């Protein structure tokens, strides 16, 4: 288990004051934090979580929630009052100072809110500083720093001093210094909060891009919920020293643990957080491409819809058939459903944000098909489901098993259907936005 965990925190407490151990004992017994202020201030209370290699783990909370104290325990700047921290399987709490320094140099870098650059050193020398501390030779550290400086968009600024740079550029230098050290873990404490909104968003996007390329483990502290939702693979929400929920952005947005979290997320731009996979529904009118026109017609009739989604071997998405086209095939005695397949509507992957679904949803009267990287059909997103998700309205639809149609339908059934409906319809408006009949 240990080798799959980059950072592990277990039952962490941090109490400032004259009787910290007594505060921990009473908190563990169920005492309220506010009743213990005469003994000490509990900044972090019983925090436990694991951070997996390669993920961005965001710790989010308002000022005073304990998040900055927590991150300082993760790199050994503060010793826990109780509990333990492991970095890449090695404990950093209660270890000799020399051992702790070694773990920091090899495994952990930190990016600060107010940059913490050396004002008398150039951009390149600031970026190389961590390597200098590690004992890397001059030529090698400058070469490695140069590559990282270019990667964060500061090519041509290598010889400038921090005072000659904008705030956004200074933060890029801080990020370059952390990346140049080539540690497994980056700790970022409110790293973008001092930047103006446009530069902040640009830095967030660059961090995500760098993460995809480098695969670092990042623990990011923020009080900004939208920043947490944009960056985090998982988010820990803190309140009054305690972690009240850990989950993906979608988990926290759609299933808040308590009223506090629910109020926190109520103004989040859901279109930029929720994905197709999180709101899709099972395909109802589904038919195999080998089943034939009669089977497709039977599925549409049973489900009272005027279109069906067609899949091939391994549930590979083939397209859509409409009732009028299939009816013509049946009347003509054709048996190959492929001739009736259209490519109406769009397809998206499960990680597509809802904000990127509007065009596909508006351009077709059919649900948007969600497929994986092998084009297998995962589910559908009717327009009403998309609108409900954006409006935080619970979906009234329930999971319905995929219908496995029979290979053939008796001609008498087709004839009866034609008589009952007055023949095939040529009106595309029979298909609603949800893919069902009007």
């Amino acid at each position: 288990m240990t080798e799959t965990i980059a950072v592990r925190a277990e039952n962490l407490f941090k109490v400032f004051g004259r009787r910290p151990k007594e505060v921990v004992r009473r908190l563990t017994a169920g005492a309220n934090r506010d009743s213990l202020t005469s003994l000490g201030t509990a900044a972090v209370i019983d925090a436990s979580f694991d951070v997996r290699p390669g993920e961005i783990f965001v710790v989010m909370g308002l000022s005073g929630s304990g998040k900055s104290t927590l991150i300082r325990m993760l790199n050994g700047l503060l010793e826990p009052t109780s509990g333990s921290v492991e970095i890449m399987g090695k404990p950093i709490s209660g270890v000799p100072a020399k051992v702790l320094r070694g773990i920091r140099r090899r495994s952990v870098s930190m990016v600060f809110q107010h940059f913490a650059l050396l004002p008398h050193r150039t951009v390149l020398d600031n970026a190389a500083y961590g390597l200098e501390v590690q004992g890397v030779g001059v030529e090698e550290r400058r070469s490695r720093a140069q590559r990282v400086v270019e990667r964060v968009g500061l090519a041509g600024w290598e010889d400038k001093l921090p005072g000659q740079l904008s705030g956004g550029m200074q933060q890029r230098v801080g990020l370059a210094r952390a990346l140049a050290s080539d540690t497994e873990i980056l700790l970022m404490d409110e790293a973008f909060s001092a930047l103006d909104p446009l530069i902040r968003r640009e830095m967030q996007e660059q961090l995500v891009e760098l993460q995809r390329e480098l695969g670092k483990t990042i623990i990011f502290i923020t009080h900004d919920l939208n920043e947490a939702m944009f960056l985090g693979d998982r988010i820990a929400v803190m309140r009054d020293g305690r972690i009240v929920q850990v989950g993906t952005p979608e988990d926290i947005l759609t299933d808040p643990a308590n009223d506090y979290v629910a109020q926190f997320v109520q103004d989040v731009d859901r279109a930029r957080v929720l994905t197709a996979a999180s709101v899709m529904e099972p395909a109802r009118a589904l038919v195999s491409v080998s089943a034939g026109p009669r089977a497709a017609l039977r599925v549409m009739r049973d489900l009272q819809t005027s279109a069906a989604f067609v899949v091939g071997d391994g549930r590979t998405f083939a397209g859509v058939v409409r009732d009028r086209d299939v009816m013509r095939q049946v009347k003509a005695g054709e048996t190959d459903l492929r001739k009736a397949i259209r490519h109406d509507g769009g397809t998206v992957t499960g990680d597509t944000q809802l904000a990127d679904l509007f065009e596909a949803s508006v351009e077709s009267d059919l649900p948007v098909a969600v497929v994986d990287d092998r084009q297998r059909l995962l589910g559908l997103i009717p327009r009403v489901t998309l609108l409900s998700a954006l409006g935080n309205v619970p979906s009234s639809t329930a999971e319905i098993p995929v219908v496995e149609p029979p290979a053939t339908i008796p001609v008498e059934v087709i004839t009866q259907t034609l008589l009952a409906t007055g023949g095939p319809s040529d009106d595309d408006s029979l298909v609603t936005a949800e893919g069902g009949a009007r």
Side-chain angles (χ1 to χ4, degrees), residues 47-361:
S48 296
F49 57 87
D50 291 338
V51 182
R52 297 184 290 265
E55 78 170 326
I56 300 180
F57 186 87
V58 176
V59 181
M60 180 189 71
L62 299 176
S63 297
S65 61
K67 56 189 186 298
S68 291
T69 301
L70 177 63
I71 200 172
R72 280 161 174 74
M73 286 192 285
L74 298 183
N75 71 349
L77 289 176
L78 290 176
E79 181 72 16
T81 305
S82 181
S84 64
V85 177
E86 291 183 1
I87 300 292
M88 305 306 292
K90 298 178 180 179
I92 67 165
S93 46
V95 300
K98 182 177 180 180
V99 174
L100 179 58
R101 286 195 298 271
I103 293 174
R104 283 183 188 151
R105 280 197 294 265
R106 294 189 303 272
S107 300
V108 183
S109 298
M110 192 155 182
V111 182
F112 299 91
Q113 177 180 358
H114 296 293
F115 321 138
L117 302 179
L118 300 172
H120 60 287
R121 292 196 175 206
T122 65
V123 166
L124 188 64
D125 288 337
N126 263 286
Y129 180 70
L131 296 173
E132 181 180 341
V133 172
Q134 292 177 10
V136 178
V138 175
E139 292 302 320
E140 182 181 351
R141 69 176 181 245
R142 289 180 66 86
S143 175
R144 287 168 60 178
Q146 178 66 43
R147 290 195 296 270
V148 176
V149 165
E150 293 172 359
R151 183 172 279 158
V152 300
L154 289 176
W157 294 84
E158 294 88 346
D159 297 326
K160 302 294 183 181
L161 295 173
Q164 299 173 285
L165 308 178
S166 67
M169 296 174 77
Q170 289 184 51
Q171 192 57 282
R172 290 175 190 270
V173 178
L175 182 57
R177 179 176 58 195
L179 293 173
S181 298
D182 199 26
T183 59
E184 297 98 333
I185 298 162
L186 298 183
L187 303 180
M188 305 184 72
D189 186 11
E190 300 274 10
F192 303 148
S193 63
L195 307 177
D196 67 64
L198 290 178
I199 298 299
R200 184 172 187 168
R201 184 67 177 188
E202 183 181 334
M203 289 297 298
Q204 292 167 0
E205 292 172 350
Q206 182 165 50
L207 180 63
V208 171
E209 183 179 337
L210 287 168
Q211 171 66 358
R212 290 196 190 105
E213 180 183 348
L214 302 175
K216 298 292 185 182
T217 302
I218 299 174
I219 299 177
F220 193 99
I221 303 295
T222 184
H223 64 272
D224 186 304
L225 181 61
N226 284 308
E227 182 170 69
M229 292 285 181
F230 179 76
L231 292 176
D233 296 312
R234 287 189 301 143
I235 299 170
V237 182
M238 293 193 73
R239 182 188 189 189
D240 296 336
R242 297 183 183 272
I243 294 178
V244 295
Q245 185 170 2
V246 177
T248 66
E250 292 174 2
D251 292 337
I252 289 173
L253 189 58
T254 60
D255 189 22
N258 54 33
D259 290 342
Y260 174 78
V261 180
Q263 291 173 4
F264 221 127
V265 302
Q266 65 183 355
D267 295 326
V268 169
D269 183 359
R270 302 172 70 86
R272 295 293 178 186
V273 177
L274 297 179
T275 62
S278 68
V279 303
M280 68 183 182
E281 301 185 8
R284 301 181 178 195
L286 192 65
V287 63
S288 169
V289 70
S290 61
R294 295 187 177 196
L297 186 61
R298 174 64 177 272
V299 169
M300 286 186 275
R301 187 200 67 181
D302 288 349
L303 295 177
Q304 299 182 356
T305 181
S306 50
F309 289 81
V310 184
V311 293
D313 294 340
R315 205 181 169 91
T316 304
F317 181 56
V320 179
V321 290
R322 304 270 187 168
D323 57 351
R324 63 178 184 178
D325 298 325
V326 174
M327 195 73 78
R328 290 193 187 103
Q329 282 195 298
V330 171
K331 291 175 68 176
E334 296 181 6
T335 59
D336 188 358
L337 187 61
R338 292 179 179 85
K339 295 180 180 179
I341 292 177
R342 301 186 188 185
H343 297 284
D344 298 0
T347 62
V348 298
T349 57
D351 59 358
T352 303
Q353 292 182 335
L354 296 196
D356 298 324
L357 294 180
F358 293 115
E359 182 176 354
S361 182

